[in-house]
Amino acid sequence: LVGKFLALGLAFSSIGLSSFAFNPLFQLLVEMYAWRGALLILGGLSLNLVPCGALIHPQQQSKSPEEKVDSQSRSSLTAVLRRVFSYLQLQLLLERPYLTYSLAVTLLNIGYFVPYFHLVAHSRQAGFSEYEAAFVVSAAGATDIFGRVASGWFSDLGHFRLIHLLSLWTTLAGVFIILLPVSSLSGSYAALILISLLYGFCSGALTSVVFAVVPMIVGVDRMMEALALLQLIESSAGLLGTPLSGFLKDITGNYIASFAVAGSFPILCTLTLATLPHYFSCTDPPAPQRRSQDNKDKGLPSKP
């Protein structure tokens, strides 16, 4: 049987496949149809996400008597805010472990996407051809696939805690981001490819673990709500890293400072993870359990 973390890595491996194929494909489309035509084609491909999303239907759940009564008062602003607060599970942000973990993943995302956006431009600036520059990101995308699968397989072995494995992969990813522009200072294309391969492996390896840690932070019964809120928070950080890197490039004239700053954020992520409760323990603490809402409303103690 396939282990649960290996299955997670396999499920995410298609992202690395798209990273591998995108840059040479986009370069070919630009040469054939110019950049406007290339963007139109990519936009048409992206629209295929709409019917895919339309095929996803939430499970139908019968309404409890309390929900039926509450549905009569939805028009009031207080009721609407209460429902939004309940759907987003914002009360998770009041729990220190979840808040710390969300901050760590947010810091990670600031630097995580920078190589995929600026590595081609940096390679061109270093003197490599258009297709050589595009292949650098494709190489990272290829090892990204292997990193996701290998990380899932290694996590299933259970030799190390997931939080420690995540710290290892994020630290290595940050170091390799910093080394990306340094490796091309000598004009060696082989060195740039090597560091790109290593970065791709580590960036893929951490994605198989970053979501698997969430149930250990909040418990299995709140995993879906916690994942949704985490992705809502971390997505904003992904919008900050690339403009910041572009701004640093405009100031300095090259991408050395851009990648150095971007690589520091995954390392800051690791330092933030180290502040989690029981981080230095060799075994996982018991996962928290959701309190029974009925017992809470009646003033009864929750079940252990």
Side-chain angles (χ1 to χ4, degrees), residues 10-246:
L10 290 171
F12 282 122
S13 62
S14 59
I15 301 176
L17 181 62
S18 62
S19 299
F20 172 76
F22 174 78
N23 281 281
L25 174 63
F26 185 71
Q27 186 62 42
L28 179 63
L29 291 175
V30 169
E31 292 184 358
M32 296 179 62
Y33 305 104
W35 67 269
R36 289 184 176 88
L39 291 177
L40 285 174
I41 294 174
L42 292 179
L45 292 174
S46 299
L47 283 176
N48 287 281
L49 294 174
V50 176
C52 292
L55 295 175
I56 301 176
H57 298 282
Q59 294 181 351
Q60 298 294 330
Q61 297 179 350
S62 59
K63 291 185 177 181
S64 63
E66 292 80 3
E67 290 176 329
K68 293 179 179 179
V69 173
D70 182 66
S71 64
Q72 300 175 358
S73 60
R74 288 181 183 177
S75 58
S76 66
L77 179 60
T78 304
V80 172
L81 293 177
R82 187 182 301 115
R83 291 179 65 83
V84 171
F85 189 86
S86 176
Y87 285 146
L88 296 179
Q89 291 291 313
L90 296 179
Q91 61 268 26
L92 286 169
L93 297 177
L94 301 178
E95 302 178 12
R96 178 178 171 269
Y98 182 79
L99 183 61
T100 301
Y101 190 71
S102 298
L103 175 61
V105 177
T106 300
L107 291 171
L108 168 65
N109 268 25
I110 294 177
Y112 179 87
F113 296 102
V114 169
Y116 291 104
F117 278 90
H118 293 302
L119 188 53
V120 172
H122 164 70
S123 301
R124 291 291 308 281
Q125 189 181 55
F128 303 117
S129 67
E130 294 180 354
Y131 278 100
E132 285 178 330
F135 183 75
V136 171
V137 179
S138 295
T143 51
D144 181 285
I145 301 173
F146 293 107
R148 293 169 192 264
V149 177
S151 175
W153 169 78
F154 189 73
S155 299
D156 280 322
L157 297 179
H159 296 316
F160 300 94
R161 290 181 61 193
L162 291 181
I163 193 68
H164 295 158
L165 290 177
L166 178 59
S167 300
L168 171 66
W169 298 130
T170 53
T171 301
L172 290 177
V175 170
F176 290 134
I177 291 175
I178 295 174
L179 292 178
L180 279 171
V182 178
S183 63
S184 59
L185 288 179
S186 62
S188 173
Y189 186 69
L192 179 60
I193 287 291
L194 175 61
I195 299 299
S196 299
L197 291 173
L198 293 173
Y199 164 72
F201 183 89
C202 294
S203 65
L206 68 89
T207 55
S208 296
V209 184
V210 67
F211 296 117
V213 174
V214 175
M216 302 179 182
I217 300 293
V218 300
V220 176
D221 53 350
R222 295 189 296 173
M223 179 180 67
M224 298 307 297
E225 298 95 331
L227 279 174
L229 183 58
L230 176 63
Q231 290 191 298
L232 177 65
I233 296 172
E234 69 174 354
S235 60
S236 61
L239 299 175
L240 297 177
T242 50
L244 175 61
S245 297

Side-chain angles (χ1 to χ4, degrees), residues 275-287:
T275 64
L276 284 169
H278 310 288
Y279 175 85
F280 295 99
S281 174
C282 296
T283 58
D284 290 318

